[in-house]
Structures are given as structure tokens and as C-alpha cells.
Amino acid sequence: MNHEQHMREAIQLSQDGLRSGRGGPFGCVVVRGGQVVGRGSNQVTSTFDPTAHAEVVAIRDACKALGTFQLDDCVLYASCEPCPMCLSAIYWARIPEVYFGNTRQDAASIGFDDDLIYREIPLPVDKRRVAMKSLLHAEALPVFKEWAEKTDKTRY
Amino acid sequence: MNHEQHMREAIQLSQDGLRSGRGGPFGCVVVRGGQVVGRGSNQVTSTFDPTAHAEVVAIRDACKALGTFQLDDCVLYASCEPCPMCLSAIYWARIPEVYFGNTRQDAASIGFDDDLIYREIPLPVDKRRVAMKSLLHAEALPVFKEWAEKTDKTRY
């Protein structure tokens, strides 16, 4: 596996995305067996999608190409340390290995406040900046019971 | 704002999604000024997209409908407490208020291990289950400097 080659492609995507005006300076590739199977650059502002970070775009691209929702035999190369949203997406996609270029401190220094979200996530629900309240728990729970009892479900 | 009415729609979406086989038992609506502007149910397994959680689908739907990448005047109703990916997406979308039905403990009890991701995110990079390594920092950093110096960029 040529790690440097794949990271250079992720960095190139970050530069292309910035110069073309698609979004922030972030790029990512997903690799399986030495082949790039997914590519992405940040597209938040150009596609009106706050979830269109480079890693999310590349994970979606790889899953579409491979016809799967799990990338447990893939490696992800990101031009910057993933934010908590992208890191969580990496866990959900079961990607076991990640390489990154810039750090979250570098991101903070150019105005991307991943650190705020890193600090908020471990807090109790009632201590976060986002106001979060429980509602209608008794009406929501039966749907979970129905899922637990469903025999023909696809787990993920 | 009729909070119960909107939560009931989110719960209904969770049940519809489960019964139609689109994905896991999760639903979500995004509301602005009393009107539902985005809807979503989990579509991970049916669309081969590990990021297609109900909240992400609803946020993308609302942003598309409103032509924006920020929902700072919206309220989100989720049939279950958001996982770290969705919670981070809520921060990136600048949504200030969230209501949820089921809890992360309920989700764990039917096989959705949000708790693992909640525990992993605050860990140092080298202590996580996902192997994470820094690579080519010196080559990645100039793109951040280019962003910092770009005068015609759209911030987000």
C-alpha cells in the first residue's frame, strides 16, 4: 500500500475543491486493495449540504461504487484529521484504518471549530449548547420493540 | 410550536421506514416557524449509505428545500437521541434546539452501538479502536494557508 501516494491524492482533492469554489479546503480518498474506490472534497457551500464534508462524500462514493454500506476492508486518507461527524461516519462504515494530514488544531486556526463539537459530544444532554429535551418516549419505544421482533431485517 | 405533533410525525416516519424495509427504526423532521421543512427516515441499508441516518437525511432535505447550509432558525425532532454523527451534523447545521423520543440506551438495547462511538470520540487519536496516523503534514498545510488567504471564499 503506497500510503504517501494516496495521501497526496487526498491533498490534491483538497486544493482542487478550494480553487474550484466547491467548499472548504478538505479532500479524501477511500482505498481498497491498493485501488482508490471513493473520492471526495468538501461541498458544503456549493451543494447546500452541511454534511457534505470530504470524508462523508468519499465514504458515500465508495459505498455506491462497491454496492455496500460497510467498508471494513478499506483505508481512508483525509487531508485533515476528521471532525467528530466524519469520525463517527468512519465508525459506522467500519473503516479500520485512517491517515490524516492537517490536524484539528490546524483546522481551528483557519476558522473550523471542530474542537467545539469534540468538547460538546461527551457532555450530558442537558449541559450542551444545543438545547436537547426528551419527548413522547412512551410513543417512540414501541417502534424499537417492533424492530427487535422483526425477523427479516437487514442489520448494520 | 406543537412539539408533540412534530414528534409524532418523526415517530411515524420511524415506523414507516422500518415497515417498508428502508432501514433502521429511526425518523426525523426539521421544522421552521411551525412548518415541517425536512423529513427523513433511516436509509442506510436500502441506499448503501452508512451516513443516511434519519437526522442526516432530514437535514439534507431541509437544506435543499430552503436553499441554505445553515438551519439556525429550525428545530429538529428525532424519534431517538441522535448518535454522535447526527449530533455533530446538528452542530454543523447550527440547529439550536432538538427533541428526541428514545434514548441511546434504548438504541443499544436493540443492537445500535452509539455508545461505543460516544466513548471513542473523546479519546486521544492513538488510543482509539480505529488506527489513526498522521502523514505528510508538511504537504497538507499549504492548502490551509491558501484558504486563509483566499478573499472570495464562502465561510460555513
Side-chain angles (χ1 to χ4, degrees):
Chain A
M1 191 78 79
N2 190 331
H3 298 305
E4 283 77 10
Q5 174 192 323
H6 297 311
M7 179 59 84
R8 285 199 177 100
E9 182 169 352
I11 294 168
Q12 187 63 51
L13 284 165
S14 77
Q15 189 177 64
D16 294 347
L18 177 161
R19 292 186 181 175
S20 67
R22 276 198 297 276
F26 304 95
C28 181
V29 297
V30 174
V31 173
R32 188 171 79 156
Q35 301 296 313
V36 176
V37 292
R39 291 176 175 83
S41 67
N42 185 288
Q43 304 177 4
V44 168
T45 55
S46 60
T47 65
F48 298 134
D49 180 358
T51 74
H53 286 198
E55 297 93 323
V56 167
V57 174
I59 288 170
R60 298 178 81 219
D61 190 44
C63 285
K64 192 174 176 183
L66 300 174
T68 180
F69 49 85
Q70 300 212 337
L71 302 171
D72 50 13
D73 53 358
C74 294
V75 182
L76 183 142
Y77 299 81
S79 70
C80 182
E81 185 181 343
C83 84
M85 178 179 73
C86 295
L87 181 58
S88 303
I90 287 164
Y91 278 89
W92 284 122
R94 312 284 195 271
I95 296 173
E97 192 174 0
V98 170
Y99 291 84
F100 61 91
N102 291 313
T103 66
R104 75 172 88 167
Q105 289 79 17
D106 297 325
S109 75
I110 60 163
F112 295 99
D113 202 1
D114 301 19
D115 252 355
L116 166 71
I117 306 179
Y118 271 109
R119 289 193 304 272
E120 289 278 303
I121 285 179
L123 296 177
V125 163
D126 60 351
K127 300 291 185 197
R128 296 197 184 116
R129 290 196 192 186
V130 170
M132 299 186 74
K133 292 170 201 150
S134 175
L135 188 69
L136 300 185
H137 183 251
E139 294 184 34
L141 198 55
V143 184
F144 271 20
K145 289 185 178 155
E146 188 171 332
W147 171 267
E149 291 161 6
K150 187 174 165 72
T151 54
D152 62 341
K153 62 187 172 243
T154 304
R155 296 177 187 279
Y156 60 93
Chain B
M1 191 77 79
N2 190 330
H3 298 305
E4 283 77 11
Q5 174 193 322
H6 296 311
M7 179 59 84
R8 285 199 177 99
E9 182 168 353
I11 294 169
Q12 187 64 51
L13 283 165
S14 77
Q15 189 177 65
D16 294 347
L18 177 162
R19 292 186 181 175
S20 67
R22 277 198 296 276
F26 304 95
C28 181
V29 297
V30 174
V31 173
R32 187 171 79 157
Q35 300 295 314
V36 176
V37 292
R39 292 176 174 83
S41 67
N42 184 288
Q43 303 177 6
V44 168
T45 55
S46 61
T47 65
F48 298 134
D49 181 357
T51 73
H53 286 199
E55 296 92 325
V56 167
V57 174
I59 287 170
R60 298 179 81 219
D61 189 46
C63 284
K64 192 174 176 183
L66 299 173
T68 180
F69 49 86
Q70 299 212 336
L71 302 171
D72 50 12
D73 53 358
C74 293
V75 183
L76 183 142
Y77 299 81
S79 70
C80 183
E81 185 181 342
C83 83
M85 178 178 73
C86 295
L87 181 59
S88 303
I90 287 163
Y91 278 90
W92 285 122
R94 312 284 196 269
I95 297 172
E97 192 175 0
V98 170
Y99 290 84
F100 62 90
N102 291 313
T103 66
R104 74 172 88 167
Q105 289 79 16
D106 297 326
S109 75
I110 61 164
F112 294 99
D113 203 1
D114 301 19
D115 253 355
L116 166 71
I117 306 178
Y118 271 109
R119 289 192 304 274
E120 289 278 304
I121 285 178
L123 295 179
V125 163
D126 61 351
K127 300 291 185 198
R128 296 196 184 117
R129 290 196 192 186
V130 169
M132 299 185 73
K133 291 170 201 150
S134 176
L135 189 68
L136 299 185
H137 182 252
E139 295 185 33
L141 198 56
V143 185
F144 272 20
K145 289 186 177 152
E146 188 171 333
W147 172 266
E149 290 160 6
K150 187 175 165 73
T151 53
D152 62 343
K153 61 189 173 240
T154 306
R155 296 177 188 276
Y156 60 93

